């Protein structure tokens, strides 16, 4: 469901909790819950339920995981829970197809002018925000001035925005306007770029998809936006639903937006509540919720459910182990590598990758619903994912050899190697709470690293809550040497936004001249030529596979529970189904 039921793709990637429900990737979907030849389960991406629609009604949506942070604005949020909440009341500008390529099926139309490095964005006339105020092209221009402002507190400013002509000067305080933004009329904007690579064609790529209510947010100093009531308690959007109340961290209630540009939804109200991953299956079976993501580690408990259907889609997401190798210089806006860190040793990183058995993790912890990842480019992007690149597989003897050859030796006989200076070390490991397997999975990794002689302990001796985890990882907490995270990569395979030198999302703080050059090729004008682009992606994948700033661990496939009173639902990427086409067939969710 484009931009309404699915998360929309912003220029920033999205962080996931490890308890999110996803399955091993495959590009062929068969009937729901069938098993393919390689033993991987496959699921239908859509479902239709029989029954006569009632008038209105309230849909109950379970947001599975920890309490949400409540930064309910596309320019400022960092976590997927907040993104899920935003998706119901505010959307992105563009529609996209099953390959995440921008098309004209969404709110705005877009024209590409490769020769002049320009895009022209047109929005429909006569549309409104959910408070009834007119929506104009000024609301599309406004986000550029927020993200580019010197006082901006979010993480969206980076290479994509700096690619707009005049943005760097505005960001530095050297210009009052962004020269590359040309307001044609109330409904048309022309943007001129410095570089014009093929990422411009992708949802979540180089063209900003943001639209925000200038008539409200424009009255707030940029430095104060993140904590303002228009972001935290009373947000305004132009999506299918309007926020009516927020219980911080716990729940959001919505009502149908009569100003929605596609028409008012059939469902009167929507209630979103945070539900712990350990209890969501019982809640669904009891008929307490209509929609929810499903935890892969509990698959056996819901695979035969009778009151809800299970559908799935390939997820452009992966889990990974990250190694802290430097810090973030906020003033300079770039990564500062630190070669003195023990985790800055490529040999150590490779050895730790060979020490873990991700095939076994997928089979034992996730009922075979996840699979060893071989790349940081997900298989959704078939043209750019290198299917021939081998993943790191379990090989403890090779891991020990790599350590020994690099100089990591157990000199004192305690079973753990010392660093390259002969000093003992213990790595602080940060991992998130959530789901039944979070704790045993973290302990499994610690055990396996210990078996090759690398001492690892959980930071503070326990798992971290989602928001605390990312706060500390983003702040380069010195207690964290390695961490287990997950990325939803949005609609663009370009890795610059996650791993570029000037990206705040580059949490490992990895950078090198060679890496800069490889990313520069991906972002060059030459990348509009398909063969060049594919080669550039393959070269980058090979480099990070060798250098290993992070270890990709598991590919994922999202599963969704749809109660049988929901008339229809579609999780496929690029689906045209929206909330104006969905109804309820009973006054409350069906119980088992």
């Amino acid at each position: 469901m484009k931009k309404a039921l699915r998360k929309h793709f912003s220029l920033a990637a999205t962080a996931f909790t490890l308890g999110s429900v996803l399955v091993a990737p495959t590009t062929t979907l068969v009937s729901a819950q069938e098993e393919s030849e390689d033993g991987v389960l496959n699921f239908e991406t859509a479902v239709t339920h029989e029954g006569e629609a009632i008038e209105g009604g309230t849909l109950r949506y379970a947001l599975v995981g920890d309490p949400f942070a409540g930064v309910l604005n596309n320019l400022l949020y960092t976590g997927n829970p907040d993104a899920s909440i935003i998706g119901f009341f505010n959307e992105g500008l563009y529609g996209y197809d099953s390959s995440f390529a921008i098309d004209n099926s969404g709110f705005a139309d877009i024209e590409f002018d490769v020769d002049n490095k320009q895009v022209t964005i047109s929005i429909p006339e006569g549309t409104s925000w959910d408070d009834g105020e007119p929506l104009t092209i000024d609301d599309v221009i406004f986000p550029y001035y927020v993200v580019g402002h010197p006082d901006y507190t979010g993480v969206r400013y980076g290479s994509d925005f700096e690619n707009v002509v005049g943005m760097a000067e505005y960001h530095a305080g050297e210009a009052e306007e962004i020269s590359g933004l040309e307001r044609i009329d109330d409904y048309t904007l022309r943007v001129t770029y410095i570089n014009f690579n093929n990422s411009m064609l992708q949802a979540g790529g180089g063209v900003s998809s943001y639209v925000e209510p200038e008539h409200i947010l424009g009255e707030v100093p940029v430095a104060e936006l993140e904590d303002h009531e228009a972001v935290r308690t009373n947000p305004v959007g132009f999506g299918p639903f309007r926020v009516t109340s927020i219980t911080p961290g716990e729940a959001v209630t919505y009502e149908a937006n009569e100003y929605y540009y596609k028409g008012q939804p059939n469902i009167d109200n929507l209630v979103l509540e945070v539900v712990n991953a350990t209890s969501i299956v019982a809640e669904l079976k009891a008929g307490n919720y209509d929609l929810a993501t499903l935890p892969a580690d509990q698959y056996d408990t819901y695979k035969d459910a009778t009151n809800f259907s299970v559908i799935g889609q390939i997820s452009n997401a992966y889990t990974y182990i990250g190694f802290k190798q430097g810090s973030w210089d906020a003033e300079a806006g770039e990564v500062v590598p630190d070669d003195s860190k023990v985790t800055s040793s490529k040999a150590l990183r490779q050895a730790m990758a060979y020490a873990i058995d991700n095939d076994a993790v997928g089979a034992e912890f996730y009922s075979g619903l996840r699979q060893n990842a071989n790349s940081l480019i997900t298989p959704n992007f078939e043209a750019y994912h290198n299917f021939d690149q081998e993943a790191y597989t379990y090989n403890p003897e090779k891991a020990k050899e790599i350590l020994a050859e690099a100089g990591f030796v157990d000199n004192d006989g305690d079973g753990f190697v010392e660093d390259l200076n002969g000093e003992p070390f213990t790595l602080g490991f940060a991992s998130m709470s959530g789901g039944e397997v979070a704790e045993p999975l973290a302990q499994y990794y610690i055990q396996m690293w210990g078996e090759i002689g690398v001492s690892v302990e959980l930071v503070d001796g326990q798992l971290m809550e989602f928001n605390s985890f990312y706060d500390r990882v983003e702040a380069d907490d010195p207690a964290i040497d390695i961490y287990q995270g997950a990325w939803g990569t949005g609609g663009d395979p370009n890795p610059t936004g996650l791993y570029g030198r000037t990206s705040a999302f580059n949490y490992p703080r990895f950078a090198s001249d060679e890496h800069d050059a490889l990313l520069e090729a991906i972002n060059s004008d030459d990348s509009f030529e398909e063969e060049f682009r594919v080669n550039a992606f393959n070269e980058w994948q090979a480099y990070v596979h060798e250098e290993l700033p992070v270890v990709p661990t598991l590919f994922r496939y999202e599963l969704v529970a749809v109660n049988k009173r929901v008339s229809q639902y579609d999780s496929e990427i690029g689906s045209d189904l929206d909330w104006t086409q969905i109804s309820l067939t009973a006054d409350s969710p069906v119980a088992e």
Side-chain angles (χ1 to χ4, degrees):
M1 293 179 191
K2 197 172 300 179
K3 302 292 193 281
L5 299 187
R6 296 178 27 73
K7 77 178 178 72
H8 49 283
F9 294 101
S10 67
L11 289 178
T14 302
F16 282 94
T17 61
L18 296 175
S20 298
V21 185
L22 304 164
V23 207
T26 174
T27 55
T28 303
L29 294 177
V30 294
S31 59
Q33 301 181 47
E34 285 189 357
E35 190 171 300
S36 63
E37 291 182 1
D38 59 2
V40 175
L41 290 172
N42 301 297
F43 298 83
E44 291 282 4
T45 60
V47 66
T48 299
H49 293 137
E50 296 181 356
E52 184 176 347
I54 64 170
E55 184 175 341
T58 298
L59 184 134
R60 296 183 57 80
Y61 181 93
L63 183 63
V64 181
D66 293 322
F68 56 86
V71 183
L72 304 182
N73 183 278
N74 282 320
L75 307 181
L76 296 164
Y77 81 87
T78 56
N80 190 53
D82 286 349
S84 297
I85 294 168
I86 295 167
F88 288 109
F89 74 84
N90 205 28
E91 302 186 352
L93 281 173
Y94 315 116
Y96 47 88
D97 64 18
S98 60
S99 297
F100 302 102
I102 294 173
D103 57 26
N104 288 335
S105 63
F107 179 68
D109 289 347
I110 184 168
E111 255 181 61
F112 296 93
D113 181 347
V114 179
D115 292 337
N116 292 308
K117 299 183 181 181
Q118 293 177 329
V119 299
T120 300
I121 300 162
S122 302
I123 62 172
E125 299 182 22
T127 59
S128 299
W129 292 99
D130 62 32
D131 62 358
E133 289 295 314
L135 195 162
T136 72
I137 204 66
D138 293 323
D139 300 308
V140 177
I141 296 171
F142 173 67
Y144 290 88
Y145 281 91
V146 173
V147 174
H149 197 282
D151 295 337
Y152 172 63
T153 60
V155 295
R156 300 298 188 269
Y157 188 82
S159 57
D160 288 331
F161 275 97
E162 279 210 333
N163 192 32
V164 176
V165 170
M167 177 62 83
E169 291 79 3
Y170 173 73
H171 183 68
E174 298 169 358
E176 293 185 0
E177 296 186 351
I178 302 168
S179 58
L181 303 179
E182 182 184 357
R183 187 186 190 280
I184 305 300
D185 55 39
D186 286 349
Y187 305 101
T188 312
L189 169 68
R190 182 174 296 128
V191 186
T192 304
Y193 295 89
I194 299 168
N195 299 310
F196 211 74
N197 61 65
N198 211 6
S199 287
M200 313 295 281
L201 302 172
Q202 297 290 133
V207 182
S208 168
S209 65
Y210 301 131
V211 51
E212 296 292 341
E214 184 187 26
H215 69 284
I216 294 175
L217 301 182
E219 301 297 317
V220 183
V222 171
E224 300 174 13
L225 272 176
E226 190 167 334
D227 293 318
H228 195 270
E229 64 176 14
V231 170
R232 296 283 185 165
T233 60
N234 191 29
V236 168
F238 74 108
F241 296 96
R242 172 170 47 232
V243 173
T244 56
S245 69
I246 297 173
T247 303
E250 298 179 10
V252 181
T253 61
Y254 308 80
E255 64 184 4
N257 176 15
E258 69 270 29
Y259 301 112
Y260 186 44
Y261 73 97
K262 291 185 178 182
Q264 183 170 332
N266 297 317
I267 296 168
D268 288 338
N269 301 288
L270 189 150
V271 175
L272 178 150
E273 294 176 336
V274 173
V275 180
N276 192 283
T278 59
S279 60
I280 185 56
V281 175
E283 295 281 0
L284 287 165
K285 288 185 175 182
N288 294 330
Y289 295 97
D290 292 295
L291 294 171
T293 55
L294 286 162
D297 54 5
Q298 300 177 48
Y299 178 69
D300 288 342
T301 68
Y302 60 77
K303 64 180 181 181
D304 298 320
T306 59
N307 67 318
F308 60 86
S309 300
V310 178
I311 60 175
Q313 65 165 356
I314 300 167
S315 176
N316 55 333
Y318 56 86
T319 51
Y320 68 96
I321 302 293
F323 300 88
K324 283 291 188 178
Q325 299 161 67
S327 60
W328 175 253
D329 185 333
E331 186 174 345
E334 66 177 41
V335 164
V336 180
D338 181 357
D339 292 339
S340 70
K341 287 182 173 291
V342 66
T343 44
S344 293
S345 166
K346 178 173 67 175
L348 178 71
R349 301 194 298 267
Q350 290 181 342
M352 292 178 72
Y354 280 118
I356 55 180
D357 189 344
N358 289 311
D359 288 317
V361 169
E364 299 299 325
F365 287 94
Y366 297 103
S367 302
L369 303 181
R370 297 190 186 180
Q371 191 175 50
N372 195 5
N374 71 325
S375 171
L376 297 177
I377 304 297
T378 60
N380 310 72
F381 303 106
E382 292 186 359
Y384 312 119
H385 171 85
N386 187 354
F387 289 90
D388 295 327
Q389 181 168 279
E390 292 186 7
Y392 280 85
T393 54
Y394 180 56
N395 193 334
E397 294 308 313
K398 185 169 185 176
K400 293 175 183 177
E401 290 175 8
I402 291 172
L403 289 174
E405 290 175 2
F408 290 93
V409 180
D410 178 13
N411 294 312
D412 58 13
D414 67 349
F416 297 112
V417 299
E418 278 72 60
D419 66 18
L420 300 182
N421 297 316
E423 298 294 328
F425 68 93
T426 295
L427 300 178
F429 179 37
S431 192
M432 284 177 279
S433 59
E436 295 181 355
V437 307
E439 178 72 31
L441 179 57
Q443 293 299 334
Y444 164 81
Y445 284 136
I446 291 173
Q447 175 186 336
M448 302 308 286
W449 289 324
E451 290 183 3
I452 65 165
V454 178
S455 177
V456 179
E457 294 178 353
L458 282 177
V459 175
D460 301 333
Q462 61 186 359
L463 301 180
M464 297 181 187
E465 181 270 334
F466 176 87
N467 296 304
S468 175
F469 172 89
Y470 276 105
D471 284 345
R472 294 180 70 173
V473 169
E474 289 170 5
D476 299 323
D477 187 326
I480 299 174
D481 299 299
I482 53 177
Y483 63 96
Q484 183 180 194
W487 279 125
T489 57
D492 182 14
N494 190 326
T496 307
L498 288 179
Y499 299 107
R501 185 185 292 268
T502 60
S503 171
F505 284 115
N506 182 347
Y507 294 151
R509 311 311 187 200
F510 171 83
S512 71
D513 291 342
E514 185 175 358
H515 189 234
D516 293 345
L518 291 169
L519 291 177
E520 185 178 345
I522 289 175
N523 289 290
S524 69
D525 294 346
D526 291 335
S527 69
F528 251 101
E529 197 277 311
E530 186 70 7
E531 183 177 356
F532 180 95
R533 179 171 168 85
V534 171
N535 288 337
F537 269 95
N538 284 343
E539 289 178 6
W540 180 81
Q541 287 172 90
Y543 177 78
V544 294
H545 182 78
E546 170 69 19
E547 293 295 322
L548 217 61
V550 307
V551 180
T553 53
L554 298 168
F555 285 139
R556 307 148 64 104
Y557 194 144
E558 188 172 16
L559 297 183
V560 178
V562 185
N563 190 271
K564 292 193 174 178
R565 73 154 179 160
V566 179
S567 64
Q568 57 180 328
Y569 195 89
D570 190 349
S571 64
E572 185 178 11
I573 295 165
S575 168
D576 290 323
L577 188 67
D578 62 64
W579 281 107
T580 66
Q581 302 167 280
I582 298 172
S583 302
L584 302 176
T585 62
D587 291 328
S588 59
V590 179
E592 194 166 61

